[in-house]
Amino acid sequence: MGHSIADIAKALGAEAAGDLSVVVTGAAEPASATADHLALAMDPKYADGIGKGSAVAALLWQGADWQALGLKAAIFAPRGRLAMAGLSRMLDAGPVIADGIHAMALVDPSAQIGEGAAIAPFVVIGAGVVIGPNARIASHVSIAEGARIGADALILQGARIGARVVIGDRFICQPGAVIGADGFSFVTPEKSGVEEIRETLGKRDGVTAQSWTRIHSLGAVSIGDDVEIGANACIDRGTIRDTAIGDGTKLDNLVHIGHNVQVGQDCLLCGQVGVAGSSRIGNRVVLAGQCGVNDNIFVGDDVIAGGATKIFTNAPAGRVLLGYPAVKMETHLEMQKALRRLPRWMKTASQGPDKT
Amino acid sequence: MGHSIADIAKALGAEAAGDLSVVVTGAAEPASATADHLALAMDPKYADGIGKGSAVAALLWQGADWQALGLKAAIFAPRGRLAMAGLSRMLDAGPVIADGIHAMALVDPSAQIGEGAAIAPFVVIGAGVVIGPNARIASHVSIAEGARIGADALILQGARIGARVVIGDRFICQPGAVIGADGFSFVTPEKSGVEEIRETLGKRDGVTAQSWTRIHSLGAVSIGDDVEIGANACIDRGTIRDTAIGDGTKLDNLVHIGHNVQVGQDCLLCGQVGVAGSSRIGNRVVLAGQCGVNDNIFVGDDVIAGGATKIFTNAPAGRVLLGYPAVKMETHLEMQKALRRLPRWMKTASQGPDKT
Amino acid sequence: MGHSIADIAKALGAEAAGDLSVVVTGAAEPASATADHLALAMDPKYADGIGKGSAVAALLWQGADWQALGLKAAIFAPRGRLAMAGLSRMLDAGPVIADGIHAMALVDPSAQIGEGAAIAPFVVIGAGVVIGPNARIASHVSIAEGARIGADALILQGARIGARVVIGDRFICQPGAVIGADGFSFVTPEKSGVEEIRETLGKRDGVTAQSWTRIHSLGAVSIGDDVEIGANACIDRGTIRDTAIGDGTKLDNLVHIGHNVQVGQDCLLCGQVGVAGSSRIGNRVVLAGQCGVNDNIFVGDDVIAGGATKIFTNAPAGRVLLGYPAVKMETHLEMQKALRRLPRWMKTASQGPDKT
């Protein structure tokens, strides 16, 4: 399926120049682009590549001299990655799922499936499920009893939606994600070692052998509009109230959200982030890959945490964090700089101040 | 399904007061409770909520003045979370899986399925599998040839039980868990860089380009009674002997257990914990979220490790650990406190002792 | 199925002694071996076990006095783990998957399946898929439209191969792995907090509330020959070009590979490793469990990183890394040693140099 330069520019709300009737069928890096591709060169450093490839049209940085680059047509992207968002949406055919409900899908008669659904083979949809219009559900997905999902959902292969989970509109779920497993919540008959240590910060009396009794999860999971969940990510049910994910929040692959956690709106939780039970994450929080958030704490609005930051205590709004344990980013950098100097410093200092 | 206050109190072994014939159908936080709910207020700080909600019965802290709270009936919980365990078990209807073997489940004729089984569609059960009575197996589960599972198992959507895996009674497996994948074990024809570094602690001779040869996993996985495995968690097979998980141990979501690992009884391994190959974990060990355990080491009984602790060397019984690398919790706190002071300390000290 | 000592020795290219016609059906640790087992004692420290078990044949260290150990036959392994690779391959029957395409597998008529395929029930293979000869595909696997897989593939339960993914020969995929989920790539209309912090290293102006717009993944994933992917591991599609994994590279369970990442040949990425978007990993790189690699950086050939190392910046070829943030292993050890001494050092030093 081809798109003219005129159509692409219009869709992106971008300016264009040259022969706007040129048609492209895909996008490519400049050096590997063919004549059917729109070359992507949103920064002058990619200009050289255009001559190496065969593209006749390109997405260029603002103010580029497209004619000098030998092109027939160009679109200008003042904010390149934003243009990529629009362009990639136009060019993404999306997964192939045949319209209608496949003969090998099992949909409970009491389920309500909206108009325009495409439901692939080996899907199981339980009693009382309600799914909005235009759902696309890939193979091997299960949606358990009583779950409710809004309009325009895209749920990919083998994702698991648990009983009574509620999800808003425009939901995207990558393969293998598990939404609504039981929370990890256990208690011992007598005080456990963990409870003792929380009180004493490390001191322990005699240890008693005890087994764990399970606290069942009676809550579900509530997810807002425009949420995306990554491959093999897990969101546990709440104990009494629902675990909740706010509108516009995106979770990457292998993210773990414990029971009762409340995540706000427009957050990004990158690959392998873990949030322990009952913690609250504000709005627009960004946690880079492998971050960890302790249980029962609060992470304020607009907090940003660098890769593998381990947040043990409440974090005020707007704070930029790094380290294990997490501290302000500039504090972390100072501490690490000092630590790097420390071995030599100790050697020098131990010779005595008189000898330096 | 409703329960009277009398029945709930009896099931919890707890004292009750007021009109014990009051019936509730669920539990809720006090402020959002309706008249059908048992309000959960096991601590005086939740007392205010009762007035805001509509509950007429509540689970209260020991000694609470239930009449002053405007209630008709109350149950008293000297240990609140333990009461929650009993209460939540009573109120949890559990997943809906129809009795019997679904027509779209494929059970090998040589498999032995105990009485009272509920096996959902798109389940595959291999040759020679033995499953005890009252198994509930949700959709899309696979149980490979020769696996043996005890009584009262609950195995949720898409879980994978590998060939010859042996599991005890009352097993709970959350969706997507993989038990019995092949171990990650590879060897090079000549000594590899990793082997060299283990001997030299970082020094290397010339690097030789080599490819990896696979060591197949001939062992399986052995799991005791009363074990629960989290969503998308992975337990690898052993090379010769089985990887083993002891009675009463619970694994959270996305936990990784390498080949040959031996985990003891009544352990808690929280979200995203990883245990590398051939390590041994004692009994009643608690590893908080994102902890890591090096390969071929031993973690003693009753060890407790805080969030994201990385254990590189053997840990004696009863030790409380924190940090990367793991040290005693109090040592970690001292070290971090000193490190926080270090940048300023260096600045002051470099001015010379005479000038301070 | 039994193997004679002569056959095993020949397959391993190893020397043998004694009655080479002795037949074994499996391998075991010396103390638990029966007469049907080959006892595994590749190190003198395992010699004692042989007397406790009932094996009559053993795999021994080079130069062992097999007759003094009471054996009838022995094979000598100058490099024990390498011998284990060969031996375990001989003894591994592999998963049971019936020959041919199961009646309950759905293979698109336009897909090309090579000779000798074994495809299990509830497998879905999409339009235009091409799979080489001798593929063994376990239950519940999905292979989406346009994917191409080489010869001798073994793809285990519930693995997900996305559209247009290209994979070489001898591919092994453990259960639940997701290859070809969409990349985690979002952009805000105006500059986001994360972009600002990358420029200012932690300083922020006023925060603007913005939602995230999705950048779709138009690329796929390209995987070389002899690659193995662990259980529940995830490899995301590229934005424009493919995410790539080189020949001979092995990924362990729960590994996360972000969009556009390029991993070289013969690498080992151990359990729960995460590599953020657009980074490049060289050849023969070994990342131990829970390592993290920042986005948009380069890790050189032959780099080895210890457990939970967090690599934030480019790493030169051959470097041995440890720590968060990653530094040279010997630097890390020095820093940690100094940090361990620091609390006491500060106490002593604060008493003044005159008093020491």
Side-chain angles (χ1 to χ4, degrees):
Chain A
M1 188 178 63
H3 302 272
S4 71
I5 298 303
D7 286 351
I8 295 174
K10 190 176 168 197
L12 301 186
E15 287 177 38
D19 178 359
L20 303 191
S21 68
V22 168
V23 168
V24 294
T25 58
E29 296 180 354
S32 56
T34 68
D36 291 336
H37 285 136
L38 185 69
L40 301 173
M42 286 92 89
D43 189 286
K45 69 182 170 188
Y46 300 121
D48 279 358
I50 292 176
K52 295 174 190 159
S54 310
V56 298
L59 183 62
L60 297 176
W61 65 98
Q62 191 69 27
D65 182 350
W66 60 278
Q67 285 163 310
L69 291 166
L71 296 166
K72 289 189 190 162
I75 303 170
F76 301 99
R79 187 157 160 74
R81 296 193 71 229
L82 187 61
M84 268 306 296
L87 178 66
S88 65
R89 189 175 54 237
M90 282 187 82
L91 297 177
D92 184 7
V96 172
I97 307 173
D99 286 345
I101 299 176
H102 193 279
M104 294 293 283
L106 293 174
V107 179
D108 190 276
S110 66
Q112 301 171 41
I113 310 293
E115 281 187 33
I119 300 185
F122 307 134
V123 166
V124 176
I125 296 182
V129 166
V130 178
I131 300 179
N134 305 317
R136 288 181 295 156
I137 302 180
S139 70
H140 303 95
V141 166
S142 56
I143 303 179
E145 60 274 11
R148 303 174 70 94
I149 302 175
D152 303 314
L154 173 61
I155 305 181
L156 292 167
Q157 292 84 357
R160 312 282 160 216
I161 313 291
R164 296 174 298 284
V165 167
V166 176
I167 301 175
D169 293 338
R170 294 171 299 281
F171 179 58
I172 300 179
C173 188
Q174 298 293 332
V178 176
I179 300 173
D182 292 327
F184 192 72
S185 186
F186 298 92
V187 61
T188 48
E190 308 294 327
K191 189 178 281 194
S192 71
V194 175
E195 289 171 275
E196 197 179 326
I197 283 159
R198 292 209 173 204
E199 290 167 10
T200 63
L201 292 181
K203 304 273 181 278
R204 305 176 70 175
D205 291 337
V207 167
T208 321
Q210 297 187 86
S211 291
W212 298 99
T213 299
R214 189 174 203 263
I215 297 180
H216 290 242
S217 297
L218 304 178
V221 178
S222 292
I223 294 181
D225 293 332
D226 300 298
V227 170
E228 177 160 352
I229 305 295
N232 287 342
C234 299
I235 306 175
D236 278 0
R237 318 176 75 77
T239 305
I240 297 296
R241 67 170 186 270
D242 287 2
T243 303
I245 309 288
D247 292 344
T249 284
K250 321 291 184 184
L251 271 58
D252 198 357
N253 299 343
L254 297 165
V255 164
H256 164 68
I257 303 291
H259 59 282
N260 300 339
V261 167
Q262 312 287 307
V263 180
Q265 299 181 7
D266 294 322
C267 296
L268 291 190
L269 275 56
C270 300
Q272 299 174 321
V273 161
V275 181
S278 301
S279 282
R280 287 176 298 140
I281 310 284
N283 298 318
R284 298 172 304 279
V285 170
V286 177
L287 303 178
Q290 301 187 333
C291 279
V293 176
N294 205 356
D295 60 288
N296 288 287
I297 66 170
F298 177 67
V299 175
D301 290 348
D302 302 296
V303 163
I304 297 180
T309 299
K310 307 302 179 185
I311 308 177
F312 283 88
T313 53
N314 291 345
R319 187 60 56 90
V320 182
L321 297 171
L322 201 58
Y324 167 27
V327 292
K328 277 198 232 183
M329 191 186 198
E330 53 263 46
T331 306
H332 175 82
L333 296 175
E334 276 175 23
M335 284 163 67
Q336 286 300 317
K337 204 168 145 188
L339 183 54
R340 283 296 290 268
R341 288 174 60 201
L342 186 63
R344 184 183 296 260
W345 170 274
M346 279 182 161
K347 207 173 287 175
T348 309
S350 66
Q351 293 165 348
D354 298 334
K355 293 165 194 161
T356 54
Chain B
M1 189 179 59
H3 303 271
S4 71
I5 298 303
D7 286 350
I8 295 173
K10 191 177 167 197
L12 302 186
E15 286 177 39
D19 179 358
L20 303 192
S21 69
V22 168
V23 168
V24 295
T25 58
E29 296 180 354
S32 55
T34 68
D36 292 335
H37 284 136
L38 184 69
L40 301 173
M42 287 91 88
D43 188 287
K45 69 182 170 188
Y46 301 120
D48 278 358
I50 291 176
K52 296 174 190 159
S54 312
V56 297
L59 182 63
L60 297 176
W61 64 99
Q62 191 68 27
D65 183 350
W66 60 277
Q67 285 162 312
L69 292 166
L71 296 167
K72 291 191 190 161
I75 303 171
F76 300 99
R79 186 158 161 73
R81 294 192 72 229
L82 187 60
M84 266 305 296
L87 179 67
S88 65
R89 190 175 53 237
M90 282 187 81
L91 297 177
D92 184 8
V96 172
I97 307 173
D99 286 344
I101 299 176
H102 193 280
M104 293 295 283
L106 293 174
V107 179
D108 190 276
S110 66
Q112 300 172 41
I113 310 293
E115 282 187 31
I119 300 184
F122 307 135
V123 167
V124 175
I125 296 183
V129 167
V130 178
I131 300 179
N134 306 318
R136 288 182 293 156
I137 302 181
S139 70
H140 302 96
V141 166
S142 56
I143 304 180
E145 61 273 12
R148 303 174 70 95
I149 302 175
D152 303 314
L154 173 61
I155 304 180
L156 292 167
Q157 291 84 356
R160 312 283 160 215
I161 313 291
R164 296 175 299 284
V165 167
V166 176
I167 301 175
D169 292 338
R170 293 171 299 281
F171 179 58
I172 299 178
C173 189
Q174 298 294 330
V178 176
I179 300 174
D182 292 327
F184 192 72
S185 187
F186 297 92
V187 60
T188 47
E190 310 293 328
K191 188 178 283 191
S192 71
V194 175
E195 290 171 272
E196 197 180 327
I197 282 158
R198 292 209 173 206
E199 290 167 10
T200 64
L201 293 180
K203 303 272 182 282
R204 305 177 71 177
D205 291 337
V207 169
T208 321
Q210 297 187 87
S211 292
W212 299 99
T213 300
R214 188 174 203 262
I215 297 180
H216 290 243
S217 297
L218 304 179
V221 178
S222 292
I223 294 181
D225 293 331
D226 299 298
V227 169
E228 177 160 352
I229 305 294
N232 286 344
C234 300
I235 306 176
D236 278 359
R237 321 175 73 77
T239 306
I240 298 295
R241 66 170 187 269
D242 286 3
T243 302
I245 308 289
D247 292 344
T249 284
K250 320 291 184 186
L251 271 58
D252 198 357
N253 298 345
L254 297 167
V255 165
H256 163 68
I257 303 291
H259 59 283
N260 301 336
V261 167
Q262 311 287 307
V263 179
Q265 299 181 9
D266 294 322
C267 296
L268 290 190
L269 275 57
C270 299
Q272 299 175 320
V273 161
V275 182
S278 301
S279 282
R280 286 175 299 141
I281 310 284
N283 298 319
R284 298 172 302 280
V285 170
V286 177
L287 303 178
Q290 301 187 332
C291 280
V293 177
N294 205 354
D295 61 289
N296 288 287
I297 67 168
F298 177 67
V299 176
D301 290 347
D302 302 296
V303 162
I304 296 179
T309 300
K310 308 300 180 185
I311 308 177
F312 283 89
T313 53
N314 291 344
R319 187 60 56 88
V320 182
L321 297 171
L322 201 59
Y324 167 26
V327 292
K328 276 197 233 184
M329 192 186 196
E330 53 262 48
T331 306
H332 175 82
L333 297 175
E334 276 176 23
M335 284 162 66
Q336 286 301 317
K337 202 168 146 188
L339 183 55
R340 284 296 292 267
R341 288 175 59 203
L342 186 63
R344 184 182 296 260
W345 170 274
M346 279 182 161
K347 208 172 286 176
T348 308
S350 67
Q351 294 165 347
D354 299 334
K355 293 165 195 163
T356 54
Chain C
M1 189 179 58
H3 301 272
S4 71
I5 298 303
D7 286 351
I8 295 173
K10 191 176 165 196
L12 301 186
E15 287 177 38
D19 179 358
L20 304 191
S21 68
V22 168
V23 168
V24 294
T25 58
E29 295 180 355
S32 56
T34 68
D36 291 335
H37 283 136
L38 184 70
L40 301 173
M42 285 92 90
D43 189 286
K45 69 183 170 187
Y46 300 120
D48 279 358
I50 291 177
K52 294 174 192 159
S54 310
V56 297
L59 183 63
L60 296 176
W61 65 98
Q62 191 69 26
D65 183 352
W66 61 278
Q67 285 163 312
L69 292 167
L71 297 166
K72 288 189 189 161
I75 303 171
F76 300 99
R79 187 158 161 72
R81 295 192 72 229
L82 187 60
M84 268 305 296
L87 178 67
S88 66
R89 190 175 54 235
M90 281 186 83
L91 298 177
D92 184 7
V96 172
I97 306 173
D99 286 343
I101 299 176
H102 193 279
M104 293 293 283
L106 293 174
V107 179
D108 190 276
S110 66
Q112 300 172 41
I113 310 293
E115 282 187 31
I119 300 184
F122 306 135
V123 166
V124 175
I125 296 182
V129 167
V130 178
I131 300 179
N134 306 315
R136 288 182 294 157
I137 302 180
S139 70
H140 303 94
V141 165
S142 56
I143 303 179
E145 62 274 11
R148 304 175 68 95
I149 302 175
D152 303 313
L154 173 62
I155 304 180
L156 292 167
Q157 290 84 355
R160 312 281 160 217
I161 313 289
R164 297 174 299 284
V165 167
V166 176
I167 301 176
D169 294 337
R170 293 171 300 281
F171 179 59
I172 298 178
C173 188
Q174 298 295 330
V178 176
I179 300 174
D182 291 328
F184 192 73
S185 187
F186 299 91
V187 61
T188 48
E190 308 295 326
K191 189 178 283 194
S192 71
V194 175
E195 290 171 273
E196 196 180 327
I197 281 157
R198 292 208 174 206
E199 290 168 10
T200 63
L201 292 179
K203 304 270 181 283
R204 306 177 69 175
D205 291 336
V207 168
T208 321
Q210 298 187 88
S211 292
W212 299 99
T213 300
R214 188 174 204 263
I215 297 180
H216 291 242
S217 297
L218 304 178
V221 178
S222 292
I223 294 182
D225 294 330
D226 300 297
V227 169
E228 178 160 351
I229 305 295
N232 286 344
C234 300
I235 306 176
D236 277 359
R237 320 177 73 78
T239 305
I240 297 296
R241 67 169 185 271
D242 287 2
T243 302
I245 309 289
D247 293 343
T249 284
K250 321 293 184 184
L251 270 59
D252 198 357
N253 298 344
L254 298 166
V255 164
H256 163 68
I257 303 290
H259 59 283
N260 301 338
V261 167
Q262 312 286 308
V263 180
Q265 300 182 6
D266 295 321
C267 295
L268 290 189
L269 274 58
C270 299
Q272 300 174 321
V273 160
V275 181
S278 301
S279 282
R280 286 175 300 141
I281 310 284
N283 299 317
R284 296 173 303 279
V285 169
V286 177
L287 303 178
Q290 300 185 334
C291 280
V293 176
N294 205 354
D295 61 288
N296 287 288
I297 66 168
F298 177 67
V299 176
D301 291 346
D302 302 295
V303 163
I304 296 179
T309 300
K310 308 302 180 185
I311 308 177
F312 283 88
T313 53
N314 291 344
R319 188 58 58 87
V320 182
L321 297 171
L322 202 58
Y324 168 26
V327 292
K328 277 198 233 184
M329 190 186 199
E330 54 263 47
T331 305
H332 175 82
L333 297 175
E334 277 175 23
M335 284 162 67
Q336 286 301 317
K337 203 168 145 188
L339 183 55
R340 283 297 290 268
R341 290 173 59 201
L342 186 63
R344 184 182 296 260
W345 170 275
M346 280 182 161
K347 207 172 288 176
T348 308
S350 67
Q351 294 166 349
D354 298 333
K355 292 164 196 163
T356 53

